[in-house]
Amino acid sequence: MRRGDDEIAARSRDRSATEVDPAQGRIACPIHIDEGRFGIGFIADYHPESRERVESLSDVLGPIAETKFEKTRLTDSLHQLAHSEQLQAALFAIADMASSGMDINAMLRELHAIVGRFMYADNFYIALYDDQSDALRFIYLVDTIDPVIRDANEFIPMSVLEHGLTWYLIRDKKPLMGAVEDIYAQITGPKRSIGVGCFDWLGVPVLFGDRVRGVLVVQSYIERPRYTQSDQALLSYVGSHILTALDRKMAQEELERRVEERTQELTLEVQERRRSVRIQETLYRIAELSHTATNLDEFYATVHGIIGGLLDARNFYIALLSDDGEHLHFPYYVDARGHRAESRRLGRGYSEFVIRQGRACLFDKTDPAGLEELKALEASGEIVTYGPDSHVWLGVPLVLGDRVTGVLAVQSYTAGVGFSDRDREVLTFISYQIANGLGRQRAAAELKNAYAGLERRVAERTSELSEQILVREQIEQRLKHEVLHDSLTGLPNRAYLRDQLMRAIAHTRRESTHQFAVLFIDLDRFKVINDSVGHLVGDLLLKEVAARFTRCVRTGTDVVARLGGDEFAILMEVHAADDAMRMAQRVIEALGEPIAVDGKDLFTGASVGIALSSSNYASPEDVLRDADIAMYRAKSSGRHRFEVFDEKLHDQALALLETESQLRHAATRNEFFPYFQPIVRLDDASVVGYEALMRWRHPEKGILPPAAFLAVAEANGLMELLDWQLFDHALRVASELLQGDQYVNLNFSARHFRSPDLDTRFLALVNKHGVRPGQVRIEITEGALLDNPEQTGAVFRRLHEQGIFVALDDFGTGYSSLSYLHRFNMHTLKIDRSFVGDLRMDEDRSSTAVVRAILALSDSQRMEVVAEGIETQEQRTALMALGCVFGQGYFFAHPQSLEHILAARAT
């Protein structure tokens, strides 16, 4: 049809009339009207002689059209009947599934398929609502686009979904349908988009009485025919049947689950009781065996048989450490393949690994995770395989007192025969009884041999009795020595040193002229050495360090003790403090040469704290405490040095604690605020921006500068919190502070860039206070770039995209790599005050060359340069002569409060 045809057709509603539009040259004639609902006609070009022909043609086509309409009505009725039969079959299927043996997940998938037969349901979820907890549980969710995953057993509070479409279904108890924008027009209240946006959405609440029991939702992400009112009515109708079926199925499965759980619990309880009885009987047998066995061989064989009654012990052995701890012996070894084990020096076998770890180990090569763990240990050198290659190996340490004396192990070469974590627990449990029994057997054997020897010698000569007494005294001395000496280095331990200190304090009280000193020594970098080369090498290093310290002191007069870990102490008699200082210097120099351990040259140092005797000391702990404080002062002053304790150090320690406490209270009271130092143009001193510097408004001491608290804040982890308080305060007052194009610089430490959402949080703060991004710049030092360059660079890029520039502070004092100036897209370089302080107009010093190079570099990179620390007119003039445009320093203004700056403007 051409233009005007639709108007002609619209007027052709009456079969008895033919409409003519001479102006358009068109004629419209109706063919058939179907009960006033639909009609059909045609439009043709008009000629006066064609009217009769057109009307006759419509008479011929009328019966054909009527037949077509009747066929369409019958087809629609047939489709409706088929749809009703399909719906009835679906409802029967839903009812049947509720009472079938199908599990809940299979049933949910089948329900999804049933809904999909009646409408587009590729994206479908069912959620159950618990009105008591006001939470939803998404028991079924399939989505082809949105990656969201919901745990079917997790109840999600409605507050999490508040103002979303599902939330409105529950709240309003009414279906929602259409495009998201159309649905938003149907609901009242705030709207929140949750998940990926869709093309079409249909959700219905399932009601039982006035209570919402759940929701059914289908949605489409592709353009397709939209959901209809018929779809909505069908989903509502099917939904009540689905939830009824789900309730029945879930109740049935819950009952079956509880019955199964209780059955398993009862079975496990019976098994556990039987196992406990067997283990208890085993412990009694081992305890009895330790008293009744006539020799160790009998004890070993009987223990093997007892363990074989609890688990597969066809391949079994006992390995014991030698008295010196250097060798591993195998007094009992049974192997189905006939393998024999010989005594060896301690190495890196499975047994040695258990001894080093002091815990049970299960290596299962048939388990992928266990195999990967074993490969990792072999690759790191922790384990080297000895003997035949077994599929599964289980070993537990034999612990006597607090010392590992050996290993009890079983292994399997047969596929399918292994050991479980339960076997490991059982073997560990009974290993203590075996170790005690073994200790008693060995002690009995030793005692028996000693008695036999004693009786033989008594029979030979009575004089040998005195020799036996001497041996016993030596044993007592050895035991006493072990109690008071370190087992690794052989040095006196803390208990021995404490005893000697008590004697020294008592001596000083009796004789005021008697003086002593305690040197508290801590090794530098020992943790790094221990972590990198292992504890065994670390132990060897400690032995050599102990030997060197021993060579530094006077034999028979001074005492070298190991307090634990890498801490040592020296107790010495002195005539003056210089004696202790010279000793401390000898100790430090003793570690100046490398220490060769296990084929490696290791370097360490010592930090030494000295506490001199005083009448104020009442206990050894007081002396050690003060020496320890002095040692930490030496560490904080650069390591590899010594410090002498005095009251000043004690006061500093107390002051540090007091400052830490006050800092925490101050952070909660928001006592930190910014001072602002202007950044100016050097030629006319006009202000282009400000740098925000932290101050503490102390309730008692007044305004405190950063030097009074920053170091403490960084040490106790408060620095980031204080920084964010400063950022918030500075941005809040930025509208009062800044004029025109002025900006404010905020200092960021390297620790801030460990947070991946730093830029998001900072931009949110900027937006919160209505500050334009161009009015804010951040300052960082080179350390922040080197600490985490990838993450830092990503944060810089995102900030730069939002219009926030980055300034590199203290340039020239650190790594000063040219590559990262371009890589990190720096906007500004700040020349460190150490270069500015040496500038002179008539002198070509090294700092002049450095500043000239920085300015040339910045010019090539199109970066701004700000010179820091300008304090004289001569420095200002020299910088201007070199081409520097911007600067800051006391010459122009000290850091000032906002109130002071605003008052100065007003005048």
Side-chain angles (χ1 to χ4, degrees), residues 625-759:
R625 178 202 62 207
D626 291 347
D628 190 21
I629 291 174
M631 183 274 293
Y632 274 104
R633 176 63 178 272
K635 271 192 176 297
S636 63
S637 300
R639 303 174 183 268
H640 206 62
R641 55 178 292 148
F642 66 84
E643 288 284 345
V644 179
F645 177 82
D646 55 21
E647 288 303 320
K648 181 180 178 182
L649 279 179
H650 186 259
D651 294 341
Q652 287 176 350
L654 293 177
L656 178 62
L657 289 174
E658 179 65 19
T659 302
E660 287 185 354
S661 175
Q662 291 180 354
L663 269 176
R664 296 188 183 278
H665 290 297
T668 61
R669 295 193 294 261
N670 290 318
E671 294 178 356
F672 299 92
F673 69 102
Y675 265 30
F676 299 96
Q677 185 176 32
I679 301 172
V680 304
R681 290 186 179 275
L682 294 180
D683 54 0
D684 59 3
S686 61
V687 177
V688 297
Y690 296 88
E691 180 178 355
L693 302 169
M694 187 179 296
R695 294 295 185 269
W696 180 5
R697 186 179 284 107
H698 196 283
E700 299 174 358
K701 301 178 183 179
I703 306 300
L704 297 182
F709 60 87
L710 281 189
V712 179
E714 290 177 354
N716 64 12
L718 281 175
M719 197 64 246
E720 286 184 84
L721 173 62
L722 303 188
D723 279 346
W724 283 106
Q725 289 186 5
L726 178 76
F727 299 160
D728 183 72
H729 195 136
L731 293 172
R732 186 169 64 250
V733 302
S735 60
E736 299 179 71
L737 172 69
L738 303 180
Q739 295 178 321
D741 294 330
Q742 292 178 350
Y743 56 85
V744 61
N745 282 14
L746 301 176
N747 289 281
F748 279 67
S749 66
R751 186 183 296 272
H752 283 287
F753 292 90
R754 298 175 185 174
S755 174
D757 63 343
L758 169 64
D759 54 316

Side-chain angles (χ1 to χ4, degrees), residues 288-299:
E288 182 182 7
L289 180 64
S290 64
H291 294 287
T292 59
T294 58
N295 56 62
L296 284 173
D297 291 336
E298 179 186 349
F299 179 80

Side-chain angles (χ1 to χ4, degrees), residues 431-487:
S431 68
Y432 294 102
Q433 189 68 35
I434 294 174
N436 289 329
L438 183 58
R440 283 192 290 269
Q441 277 290 307
R442 295 180 68 181
E446 291 175 1
L447 185 60
K448 181 179 179 180
N449 292 334
Y451 281 147
L454 179 61
E455 291 174 357
R456 185 176 61 254
R457 284 192 292 272
V458 168
E460 293 174 355
R461 280 193 314 271
T462 306
S463 60
E464 290 186 2
L465 180 60
S466 59
E467 183 179 347
Q468 294 298 325
I469 295 173
L470 179 61
V471 169
R472 292 190 179 187
E473 290 176 349
Q474 291 173 346
I475 292 174
E476 291 177 359
Q477 289 294 326
R478 185 178 67 192
L479 293 174
K480 184 177 180 181
H481 182 275
E482 290 178 355
V483 170
L484 297 175
H485 287 74
D486 175 48
S487 61

Side-chain angles (χ1 to χ4, degrees), residues 47 75 108 225 280 356 377 411:
H47 300 288
T75 301
L108 288 168
Q280 193 66 39
R356 289 196 305 274
L377 291 172
Q411 52 189 335

Side-chain angles (χ1 to χ4, degrees), residues 766-784:
V766 172
N767 295 331
K768 171 186 174 182
H769 294 295
V771 180
R772 290 185 288 107
Q775 294 179 295
V776 184
R777 299 182 182 182
I778 69 172
E779 287 192 21
I780 56 103
T781 61
E782 296 175 26

Side-chain angles (χ1 to χ4, degrees), residues 511-565:
E511 300 178 23
S512 59
T513 57
H514 178 266
Q515 298 182 55
F516 66 88
V518 172
L519 282 65
F520 198 106
I521 308 165
D522 186 87
L523 300 185
D524 298 332
R525 298 179 62 256
F526 179 73
K527 185 178 185 302
V528 175
I529 295 173
N530 231 12
D531 292 342
S532 58
V533 297
H535 293 281
L536 185 59
V537 174
D539 289 347
L540 297 176
L541 173 68
L542 290 174
K543 286 184 178 181
E544 176 59 24
V545 168
R548 293 190 182 187
F549 287 170
T550 302
R551 292 194 290 269
C552 292
V553 302
R554 297 165 294 184
T555 304
T557 304
D558 304 333
V559 176
V560 181
R562 182 188 177 205
L563 303 182

Side-chain angles (χ1 to χ4, degrees), residues 500-516 573 614-615 617:
Q500 294 300 310
L501 263 175
M502 290 181 65
R503 296 173 186 269
I505 292 171
H507 191 175
T508 301
R509 287 181 174 177
R510 291 194 306 270
E511 300 178 23
S512 59
T513 57
H514 178 266
Q515 298 182 55
F516 66 88
E573 293 184 5
S614 168
S615 59
Y617 286 131

